[in-house]
Amino acid sequence: MAVCTVYTVQPLNSSCSISSPTKTHMGFTPKQVFFYTSSGGKKTKSGRFRGGEITCSGDTIVIGLAADSGCGKSTFMRRLTSVFGGAASPPKGGNPDSNTLISDTTTVICLDDYHSLDRTGRKEKGVTALDPRANDFDLMYEQVKALKDGVAVEKPIYNHVSGLLDPPELIKPPKILVIEGLHPMYDQRVRDLLDFSIYLDISNEVKFAWKIQRDMAERGHSLESIKASIEARKPDFDAYIDPQKQYADAVIEVLPTQLIPDDNEGKVLRVKLIMKEGVKYFNPVYLFDEGSTISWIPCGRKLTCSYPGIKFAYGPDAYFGHEVSVLEMDGQFDRLDELIYVESHLSNISTKFYGEITQQMLKHADFPGSNNGTGLFQTIVGLKIRDLFEQIAANKASVPLEATKA
Ligand SMILES: Nc1ncnc2c1ncn2[C@@H]1O[C@H](COP(=O)(O)OP(=O)(O)OP(=O)(O)O)[C@@H](O)[C@H]1O
Ligand SMILES: O=C(CO)[C@H](O)[C@H](O)COP(=O)(O)O
């Protein structure tokens, strides 16, 4: 049997349970002591505690956000962290090229940091960053699990400027850990750690329009090089990234509008929020009447709409064999303050006060997608994640109380 040693004392963000009544250790209550057994140089988090088995689990909830590069993950993250308040910034005094964003409640880590091959390595082996062979899923699993269990980790950094793997940075367990990137749901072990998962599903036409807007207008790339880069990624995207959407609890699907016949500009968007039924702590949003099939054109006296207008739809559906509810918005808002009219017809939105969605959207009116369903649904998913976090926290807090009562 392995010898147990007290490795660290961590009074915060951990809850430990002991299989049989036992004494406290050095004045610390069981909740304050982490035990580790040493096996093969790895530390595991269960051991003997003065005659009783002790197991610990952290209070960190883990959210997975999957999407291809340039599909709006950063924008979504900014909306999400804003729902919790406080600004998000990279670890203080750390690597200026860190991909991590830390705020009071959330830590967002980018899964590009688990690239096992750097830019040169990928080139030599002829693999893309989307290929699982270019990523270290064992380390990803170990570190996400450790953070979920309340243990800090030294996470590698993939430097997007140099294309190299930089020395690691310390990540402490936050209240909410978001793992965003290409593969949060690819490896089943990592997937099983997720309390909630989201997939941003951007159709090829829209992805192309956004890429042109960013890489051509803002980064000076040529149209040909953008087309070539999308084409080069496509086989691996189809093989390894896209299939993850079947596991997501919520999918935001972005398509060209149906309001303009044969539109190929990609400016007006049709956006669907696909919400899985039966997910613990998550009640899908609905329009007017839960479970009914609704089509709604809100334009008129209370909502100003210029061409081509706005159309909402809601109803039950099936998605990869799962029962889902789908909320859809096609078109764009002329006046964001009038969004309150739409908000007041939505239910299960997990707001804390009347108009919170409209307030969030107005606060970030300059973010991409603020005038359409992408911004609206990202904001709603942010509020649902806050609600999920609060429910899980309340549930955990009530367990010792129940035990005391018994
Ligand atoms: N909802 C949106 N509406 C219109 N354009 C958008 C939207 N979301 C993102 N974009 C466009 O896509 C670009 C990339 O967005 P963002 O940085 O959020 O994506 P990302 O997935 O984090 O990208 P990367 O992984 O490459 O850093 C933006 O600069 C913008 O041009
Ligand atoms: O798909 C990506 C995720 O964002 C990047 O292409 C991947 O991380 C490689 O990065 P870079 O192009 O900076 O070497």
Side-chain angles (χ1 to χ4, degrees):
M1 179 161 175
V3 179
C4 303
T5 47
V6 178
Y7 178 71
T8 184
V9 174
Q10 190 159 340
L12 295 173
N13 209 26
S14 66
S15 65
C16 303
S17 62
I18 303 171
S19 64
S20 58
T22 185
K23 294 174 202 159
T24 57
H25 177 83
M26 289 160 55
F28 292 106
T29 65
K31 260 196 148 181
Q32 292 173 299
V33 181
F34 268 14
F35 269 71
Y36 291 83
T37 58
S38 295
S39 54
K42 280 189 184 165
K43 300 174 190 81
T44 59
K45 278 188 66 227
S46 74
R48 296 194 71 76
F49 183 85
R50 296 249 177 135
E53 285 291 325
I54 179 166
T55 44
C56 302
S57 69
D59 289 336
T60 297
I61 73 157
V62 187
I63 309 293
L65 173 67
D68 197 4
S69 158
C71 286
K73 296 185 297 291
S74 313
T75 310
F76 187 10
M77 283 304 108
R78 287 196 289 162
R79 288 193 198 276
L80 175 70
T81 47
S82 162
V83 163
F84 288 94
S89 50
K92 286 192 180 60
N95 187 330
D97 294 327
S98 166
N99 301 307
T100 303
L101 281 176
I102 299 176
S103 66
D104 295 347
T105 322
T106 58
T107 291
V108 181
I109 62 173
C110 174
L111 297 180
D112 294 350
D113 289 334
Y114 294 101
H115 287 338
S116 51
L117 296 175
D118 62 12
R119 205 174 282 158
T120 314
R122 290 195 299 271
K123 209 168 176 188
E124 280 169 3
K125 290 227 159 54
V127 293
T128 71
L130 299 92
D131 191 314
R133 288 172 296 175
N135 295 279
D136 186 344
F137 288 101
D138 290 343
L139 185 64
M140 189 192 292
Y141 165 67
E142 270 171 35
Q143 296 205 334
V144 174
K145 174 145 181 23
L147 288 167
K148 191 169 172 117
D149 287 347
V151 181
V153 300
E154 290 281 346
K155 182 188 60 54
I157 299 175
Y158 176 72
N159 188 321
H160 281 276
V161 180
S162 64
L164 298 170
L165 287 156
D166 283 353
E169 63 187 355
L170 180 71
I171 305 290
K172 292 182 187 157
K175 289 184 179 149
I176 300 174
L177 173 70
V178 183
I179 57 169
E180 63 94 353
L182 298 170
H183 304 99
M185 292 166 255
Y186 180 81
D187 183 291
Q188 193 189 335
R189 296 166 303 167
V190 180
R191 197 160 71 227
D192 288 347
L193 294 172
L194 302 177
D195 293 284
F196 194 75
S197 52
I198 306 131
Y199 185 91
L200 300 183
D201 188 7
I202 315 299
S203 66
N204 287 335
E205 299 92 324
V206 177
K207 204 188 275 188
F208 188 56
W210 288 1
K211 273 260 175 206
I212 288 179
Q213 184 188 320
R214 182 177 74 170
D215 294 354
M216 213 163 133
E218 296 165 25
R219 299 186 178 175
H221 297 188
S222 70
L223 188 63
E224 288 66 36
S225 73
I226 296 169
K227 272 187 191 159
S229 118
I230 291 182
E231 283 310 311
R233 289 172 75 94
K234 191 143 188 340
D236 283 352
F237 173 80
D238 291 343
Y240 309 118
I241 313 303
D242 193 59
Q244 293 175 89
K245 63 189 179 195
Q246 65 189 291
Y247 305 116
D249 298 316
V251 175
I252 298 180
E253 192 175 302
V254 186
L255 305 152
T257 182
Q258 286 186 333
L259 300 173
I260 306 170
D262 303 321
D263 175 70
N264 52 17
E265 269 195 65
K267 284 206 175 117
V268 182
L269 300 173
R270 173 181 168 224
V271 188
K272 289 182 173 190
L273 175 58
I274 302 165
M275 300 161 280
K276 217 178 243 179
E277 294 288 343
V279 176
K280 204 171 176 192
Y281 305 120
F282 175 67
N283 296 316
V285 176
Y286 65 89
L287 179 64
F288 295 119
D289 182 40
E290 192 166 17
S292 295
T293 298
I294 313 269
S295 178
W296 183 42
I297 296 175
C299 304
R301 289 190 194 142
K302 293 179 182 156
L303 197 77
T304 315
C305 298
S306 55
Y307 179 81
I310 297 179
K311 192 172 172 185
F312 276 86
Y314 162 77
D317 206 343
Y319 189 76
F320 289 98
H322 294 283
E323 201 186 321
V324 293
S325 283
V326 182
L327 179 65
E328 179 181 322
M329 175 183 163
D330 196 347
Q332 55 194 33
F333 300 109
D334 280 5
R335 291 188 44 180
L336 257 192
D337 54 338
E338 290 176 351
L339 173 60
I340 189 76
Y341 176 62
V342 172
E343 180 176 351
S344 63
H345 289 83
L346 294 170
S347 299
N348 271 353
I349 43 180
S350 302
T351 46
K352 287 200 189 284
F353 54 89
Y354 179 73
E356 190 177 10
I357 292 179
T358 308
Q359 188 200 63
Q360 279 293 330
M361 291 281 282
L362 282 166
K363 193 165 148 193
H364 302 300
D366 56 329
F367 285 8
S370 285
N371 65 344
N372 63 37
T374 59
L376 175 62
F377 294 160
Q378 287 177 3
T379 303
I380 289 177
V381 173
L383 294 170
K384 298 303 286 182
I385 290 172
R386 182 182 66 187
D387 186 46
L388 181 113
F389 163 68
E390 288 175 355
Q391 286 186 62
I392 294 176
N395 198 34
K396 281 198 176 168
S398 72
V399 171
L401 208 73
E402 297 295 317
T404 321
K405 277 187 206 155

